[in-house]
Amino acid sequence: MICLLSPSQPLFCPPDTAWTSVQHNGSHLVSVKSSNGESPHPVFFKYTASMDQLQAIIDDADHCQQKLTFHCKKSRLSTPHDSFWNSASFNTETSYLHFPTFRGELSADVSFFFKTTAFSGVFVENLGITDFIRLELRAPAEVTFSFDVGNGPCEVTVQSPTPFNDNRWHHVRAERNVKEASLQVDQLPRETQTAPADGHARLQLNSQLFVGGTASRQRGFLGCIRSLRLNGLALDLEERATMTPGVEPGCPGHCSSYGHLCRNGGRCREKRRGIECDCTFSAYDGPFCENEISAYFGAGSSVIYDFQHYNDTFSKNSSSFVALFHEDLTLTGEMATLSFRTTEMPSLLLYVSSFYEEYLSVILAPNGSLQISYKLNRHREPDVFNFGFKNLADGQLHQVKINREAAVVFVEVNQNARRQVILSSGTEFNAVKSLTLGTILGKWKKESPLPPPPSDWDWKWPPGADRDTLRAGAHGFTGCLSAVRFGPTAPLKAALRPGGPARVTVRGHVAAASRCAEGAGPGAPAREATRPLAGGAGRSGATDEGEPLVNADRSDSAVIGGVIAVVIFILLCITAIAVRIYQQRRLYEKNESNIPKTGDNAETALKSELNVQSTVSESQKEYFF
């Protein structure tokens, strides 16, 4: 793929234009065996860049193109995705698009998508003196492919148990050759009709090709047609629609058929040419909200997400401050999801606090079981539920989903174990303040039942929290967390994808990781591929002051310095060994020149030679050992 970048982009390139070329793995020739229409031979290309990188290049480019060379005889090359979203909307029954005559004498195939609420209408028609070819919606649940090559009219019909005029996209593929004609709609059974053994075979047409209308009838098509291809060639419906009354380029309503591609809470957004997935309220990212956002938490680290920025002019003890947030942040229900992998217990997975000393905590108890605590009334004891599914601190990936509706809480672990519990502490979560992943930070009180934290911490136990939550909050979380979501909030995404409001504070060592499901097995949660974050990332332990995360890149100068030191040490060792060998060789040559050549001194010469060999041997021993 080659893209022409706009000159306004900040690139150091020759004036006026700059081309970016992205390589793929299909540069070599591929041998393709012949195949019938039911089992075409697909050829796939894999680019060296990721989908996100390709999309970024395309978005900034003025023009993009792909090059493909096809060496073949009597075959058509189909590339269904180059014109996949090219479409037109037909607003009146008398409107249509016209193109040059369709040339399909011996073989013809037509494919397209349509969407309509009308009971009938002609999709495509091309006439000759007596011959013709036509595709139409004959009835709400019936699509017909009809033609005449001189042997009399022939029809192939596909009938559906449900109507096609449901305002959703449907795919049509019709083909005709000298042997048979076929028609398939969506995934319904393919209908065929055998051609006469003796008879005419050539389809002779001479009129213009009508799309969305007809020259012989007054029953045009109302709706949208997209990605129309004839004998493998795409027709530019949008370009022709810009100059045709009653027809508009593009089609609305793509999300009704393709909205399911947006996964994990992503919202489908309509575009004239296709859709895009808005992952703003998803704990995932990527083109289809399928890329897991994961982070590795070191000991004593935390991510704190503030749900609101209070006005400094209000005191925390004033009634004005309480009234300011009470209406906006009162929850009668919420959904929380997260995935984790750890071997530490107890562990705090998630803690949500309020200005009214209400809270939700999700922890792993000292035995590794999942424990959830709700306190929705400051004057009552918290509801503590222990879900003894199994020891979840086993180094494996686990998913937790919590859904509260008033006093009823549904808890699901690993997508199959589901429990229901009833709260007694209340039904409303009032004045929600912040969400914490990892260690809970604040001021430590002497009367606390737990041992004091390190002296450089500013610690305060959450008021009113149960003892197990306090103990887990002191230990924090060490391991991998991913896909964390509380209502519409994705705190890990806010930390790892900065750019929005400064609501996230990172303390200690928190690093972007690959998917939590990859890599390590039991007992090795720290083997993630990680990248440290700014705002305290890269330092072990917690700090007394956290800063909002503004940049996820940080240089590993200490690691680089260590590598350089090791290289220098190895070079010095090699130099010392070379000098030692050179000195021993000089000694050998000197002794050899002093060896007597007469028989009387043979014993002396032998001893001298053995001494030299012994010396060299010792040198070799130092070299190899």
Side-chain angles (χ1 to χ4, degrees):
M1 181 177 68
I2 300 178
C3 292
L4 173 62
L5 297 184
S6 170
S8 63
Q9 299 301 316
L11 297 177
F12 297 96
C13 302
D16 301 329
T17 60
W19 288 92
T20 298
S21 178
V22 184
Q23 301 297 320
H24 57 69
N25 64 348
S27 59
H28 57 282
L29 292 177
V30 177
S31 177
V32 179
K33 296 182 179 180
S34 61
S35 61
N36 55 38
E38 295 183 353
S39 57
H41 187 102
V43 178
F44 299 100
F45 300 106
K46 183 177 182 180
Y47 283 97
T48 56
S50 66
M51 285 300 298
D52 289 342
Q53 292 170 326
L54 288 175
Q55 189 62 51
I57 294 175
I58 294 172
D59 291 342
D60 290 337
D62 287 340
H63 173 72
C64 289
Q65 65 186 42
Q66 291 175 311
K67 293 185 176 180
L68 179 66
T69 303
F70 188 54
H71 304 278
C72 194
K73 294 182 179 180
K74 297 182 180 180
S75 179
R76 290 183 296 273
L77 176 65
S78 176
T79 54
H81 300 291
D82 294 346
S83 61
F84 188 75
W85 296 110
N86 191 292
S87 57
S89 300
F90 299 85
N91 301 321
T92 66
E93 288 188 345
T94 58
S95 60
Y96 58 87
L97 300 179
H98 58 83
F99 293 88
T101 304
F102 177 39
R103 302 298 180 186
E105 286 81 1
L106 295 178
S107 63
D109 66 76
V110 181
S111 65
F112 59 90
F113 292 84
F114 77 91
K115 181 175 64 171
T116 186
T117 57
F119 289 92
S120 62
V122 175
F123 303 122
V124 175
E125 182 183 82
N126 207 150
L127 305 177
I129 299 176
T130 57
D131 295 0
F132 72 90
I133 184 172
R134 182 184 301 116
L135 273 161
E136 61 183 315
L137 179 68
R138 181 166 292 180
E142 185 176 306
V143 173
T144 300
F145 174 35
S146 57
F147 58 92
D148 189 342
V149 295
N151 301 313
C154 295
E155 290 185 353
V156 183
T157 300
V158 169
Q159 292 184 333
S160 172
T162 58
F164 292 120
N165 61 341
D166 56 359
N167 203 31
R168 298 180 64 87
W169 287 112
H170 299 280
H171 183 247
V172 176
R173 180 177 180 85
E175 185 171 359
R176 178 259 161 195
N177 53 44
V178 297
K179 294 183 178 179
E180 66 177 9
S182 65
L183 175 65
Q184 184 171 20
V185 183
D186 296 334
Q187 301 302 317
L188 296 171
R190 178 172 174 260
E191 300 292 337
T192 62
Q193 185 178 88
T194 304
D198 298 319
H200 297 281
R202 290 184 177 272
L203 178 64
Q204 299 180 359
L205 306 174
N206 54 26
S207 73
Q208 290 182 322
L209 171 69
F210 287 76
V211 176
T214 172
S216 60
R217 306 179 187 180
Q218 295 299 318
R219 195 176 70 240
F221 175 73
L222 287 174
C224 287
I225 295 179
R226 173 168 61 83
S227 187
L228 175 60
R229 308 183 68 85
L230 281 74
N231 281 355
L233 298 178
L235 299 188
D236 193 344
L237 303 179
E238 292 183 358
E239 187 274 336
R240 193 58 61 93
T242 58
M243 58 186 72
T244 304
V247 186
E248 295 181 0
C251 284
H254 297 305
C255 283
S256 61
S257 294
Y258 300 103
H260 66 279
L261 297 178
C262 300
R263 310 296 296 277
N264 303 305
R267 297 183 178 181
C268 181
R269 302 294 187 189
E270 285 286 344
K271 298 176 66 177
R272 195 184 82 171
R273 302 195 67 180
I275 66 169
E276 66 178 359
C277 296
D278 182 0
C279 306
T280 302
F281 300 104
S282 171
Y284 294 73
D285 64 4
F288 302 104
C289 307
E290 290 186 304
N291 296 347
E292 180 181 295
I293 297 179
S294 307
Y296 173 75
F297 285 67
S301 61
S302 63
V303 169
I304 304 171
Y305 183 94
D306 292 323
F307 287 99
Q308 46 201 318
H309 297 289
Y310 56 83
N311 192 326
D312 291 336
T313 60
F314 292 102
S315 168
K316 289 188 177 181
N317 297 323
S318 69
S319 59
S320 300
F321 178 82
V322 174
L324 181 65
F325 299 107
H326 175 76
E327 294 181 357
D328 292 340
L329 294 175
T330 296
L331 304 177
T332 59
E334 64 278 330
M335 178 178 290
T337 61
L338 60 89
S339 298
F340 70 92
R341 185 155 62 83
T342 185
T343 57
E344 299 294 325
M345 49 189 176
S347 292
L348 180 74
L349 302 178
L350 180 144
Y351 180 80
V352 183
S353 64
S354 83
F355 291 104
Y356 289 166
E357 299 184 7
E358 300 174 359
Y359 70 90
L360 159 66
S361 71
V362 182
I363 70 171
L364 294 184
N367 63 355
S369 64
L370 180 69
Q371 183 171 302
I372 297 175
S373 300
Y374 263 104
K375 185 174 184 178
L376 301 185
N377 189 322
R378 63 187 301 180
H379 303 294
R380 295 184 181 180
E381 292 298 315
D383 293 299
V384 180
F385 304 100
N386 196 302
F387 299 89
F389 296 114
K390 67 171 187 173
N391 178 11
L392 300 181
D394 56 0
Q396 300 295 326
L397 181 69
H398 300 286
Q399 299 90 23
V400 176
K401 180 178 179 180
I402 303 170
N403 185 17
R404 181 180 72 90
E405 299 174 1
V408 181
V409 181
F410 300 93
V411 179
E412 184 178 294
V413 177
N414 295 335
Q415 301 179 354
N416 50 29
R418 183 180 174 91
R419 301 281 179 85
Q420 175 183 327
V421 295
I422 306 297
L423 302 181
S424 61
S425 63
T427 60
E428 292 185 349
F429 201 168
N430 298 292
V432 178
K433 178 183 178 183
S434 63
L435 181 151
T436 300
L437 305 174
T439 305
I440 302 178
L441 302 178
K443 290 185 178 180
W444 179 70
K445 295 181 178 180
K446 289 184 178 180
E447 61 271 19
S448 171
L450 299 179
S455 59
D456 60 338
W457 286 11
D458 187 25
W459 191 275
K460 180 181 179 182
W461 301 118
D466 61 279
R467 184 180 180 86
D468 289 339
T469 295
L470 297 179
R471 182 180 291 107
H475 284 85
F477 177 82
T478 303
C480 187
L481 276 174
S482 70
V484 181
R485 182 180 178 186
F486 180 80
T489 303
L492 272 186
K493 186 175 185 179
L496 303 179
R497 305 290 190 271
R503 293 187 171 187
V504 182
T505 301
V506 178
R507 299 175 186 259
H509 181 78
V510 179
S514 59
R515 297 176 66 249
C516 280
E518 296 177 349
R527 294 167 60 187
E528 308 292 337
T530 61
R531 176 165 53 86
L533 305 179
R539 299 188 296 270
S540 61
T543 59
D544 56 351
E545 289 294 327
E547 297 179 358
L549 183 64
V550 296
N551 191 350
D553 293 324
R554 180 172 179 162
S555 62
D556 295 330
S557 56
V559 177
I560 297 175
V563 173
I564 294 176
V566 171
V567 173
I568 293 176
F569 176 77
I570 294 175
L571 292 176
L572 290 175
C573 292
I574 294 175
T575 303
I577 293 172
V579 170
R580 183 64 181 270
I581 293 176
Y582 175 77
Q583 291 175 345
Q584 297 302 330
R585 178 171 294 181
R586 290 293 301 272
L587 179 61
Y588 177 88
E589 293 174 354
K590 181 178 179 181
N591 290 335
E592 186 178 25
S593 62
N594 294 329
I595 294 176
K597 302 303 179 182
T598 61
D600 295 336
N601 296 318
E603 183 178 352
T604 303
L606 180 59
K607 290 181 179 180
S608 178
E609 184 174 358
L610 290 176
N611 182 56
V612 172
Q613 292 178 351
S614 176
T615 303
V616 174
S617 177
E618 288 298 319
S619 175
Q620 293 173 339
K621 182 182 295 184
E622 291 179 7
Y623 179 79
F624 288 107
F625 298 96

